[in-house]
Amino acid sequence: MILFLAGCTSEQSDQFDLVINNVNLIDGTGGPLQAGVSIGIIKGKIVAIDTTLLDNKKNRIDGTGKFLIPGLFDCHVHTSDFERDFPRFIHYGVTSIFITGGSLCTNDFYAAMCKQGNQDTIPAPIVFHTSQHFSMEGRHPSKTYSSSNWRDGESIFYLKDTIQIQRLVKEVSKYPIVGIKLTIEDGPAPPFVERIPQSFIDKTVKEASKYGLEVFAHISDNIELEMAINGGVQNLVHFTGVKIDPKDSIQMKLLKKFLERKPFWVTTLMIDKSFLYPIHPEWFESESMLGAYKESVKELDPSLVQRAKIYVGILMDEYGLTENSLEAFVLPQVTDIQFLDGMGFNMVLGTDTGNDFNFPGYSLHEEMQLLNLGRMKPLNIIKMGTLNAAKMMNAQDSLGSIEVGKIANMVLLDKSPLEDISNTLLINSVIKRGVIQERIKG
Ligand SMILES: [Zn+2]
C-alpha cells in the first residue's frame, strides 16, 4: 500500500515537463509585473500559471529573484547565412523573427529557414517571412545594394506594369507568407533612385486583399509614408527617415486615416546606430556583445571606419544635425514613435539586422535601449517586442505572451528589465517550445 502511494505521488509530482517556480512575471501584454508566479509547461505549451508553487520532481527551475518575459521577436531581419545567425538570435532570447526579403530569399531559401526554425535540435528562432521584394529594375534595393544574387522572378520581382501585379500576387500567395513586401523607397543615401509609381502600390494592395494578404511596405521618408497610406498599405517595416509634426494638420489627418486600418509599424532605430558604430569603438566593448561576437569585432577594417565617417556626414546633412552623437540621431525619432504609440498605433520592434553593425539577436536589445533613451517605458517596449509583434504575424493565439495555452517561448532574466531595460541582456535561460536552449559559450 505504501509503495503504491509512493508511486502515485512520484507520478503526480512529474506532471509537468518543466516548471518555473516563484518568478516575477512580465507577461508581454503590457500588464503590471506579477510577483511569486509559477509556470507549468507540458509538450511545449504553458498549461498552468499559478500563485502557489508547482510540484515537479525533475525539471524544476527556482525563479526566486528572477524575471520572466516572453521570447522576443525581431520583426525586421535579413540574413545571408542563417546557420550562423540563428543560434545568435536564440542566444539573445529572440525566439521569433520576421524576414522581410533579401537577395538570397528565393522560395527554397525561405523554406530552408522555416524548416530550421521548426526543428528543436539546433538552436533557431521560429521564422515568419514576407514575399520576395516587389520593386522595379534599377531601384531599391537591387541597385542600391547591388548583388548578382538579385534575380528577377526568384529573389525579387521587377514590376513592369500593373497588369503583371495580378499574376505575381497570385503566385506568391501560394507560399506561407505573412504578406507582400513592397519597396517604395528611393534608396538609403544619395544618389537616390526613383520611387515606384503610386499606381503600383494601389494595385499591389488591391490584388493582395483578394487573397487575404496585407502589404508590408518599405518607406524611408514622409513622401513615401503618404504614398503608402494613400495606396491602402497596412504595415510599415521601417520608421527611420519619417518625421512627425503634431502641429501639421494635414499630416495628422493622414495618420488618423492610416490608424483606422489598425496598422503595424516597425521601429528599426538600429539602422542609425549601425551607421554610427564604426566611429564609436567603445560600443564594441560591451560584455554582452562579446559573448557572441568576439571574433567578428576583434579587428575593425579601417576602410569601414573611413566609409562610416563619410556616411555619417551625409546623414547629418540630411537630418540637419550639428553633432554625431547617438542622442542627436535617435531622440527625435523616439519622440515621434512615442507620439504614434500614444495615438494608438501598434508599434513593433525590428532592427534591420543583416546590414553591417546590426547584430543578429544583440541588436534587438540595443533597439530596446534606444527607445528607452527617449524614456519610453520598459513595460511598453517589451510589449512592442512580444505581443504587438505576434499580432503583426497574426500569431497572437500561440505566441507573444506568457498565458495559458500559448507556446512556451520565454526568457528568464537575472535582474528586472523594468528597472533598467539593459537588464534584458542579463539572460539566465532561453526557453523555446518548453525546452531550455543551448546558448553560445563566450
Ligand atoms: Zn530591411
Side-chain angles (χ1 to χ4, degrees), residues 311-325 329:
Y311 198 69
V312 165
I314 293 172
L315 277 178
M316 283 171 67
D317 281 349
E318 208 185 311
Y319 291 179
L321 301 178
T322 50
E323 57 164 314
N324 66 9
S325 69
F329 268 77

Side-chain angles (χ1 to χ4, degrees), residues 63 79 138 152 161 177 250 275 291:
T79 175
D152 186 22
D161 52 53
I177 57 173
I250 296 169
F275 292 142

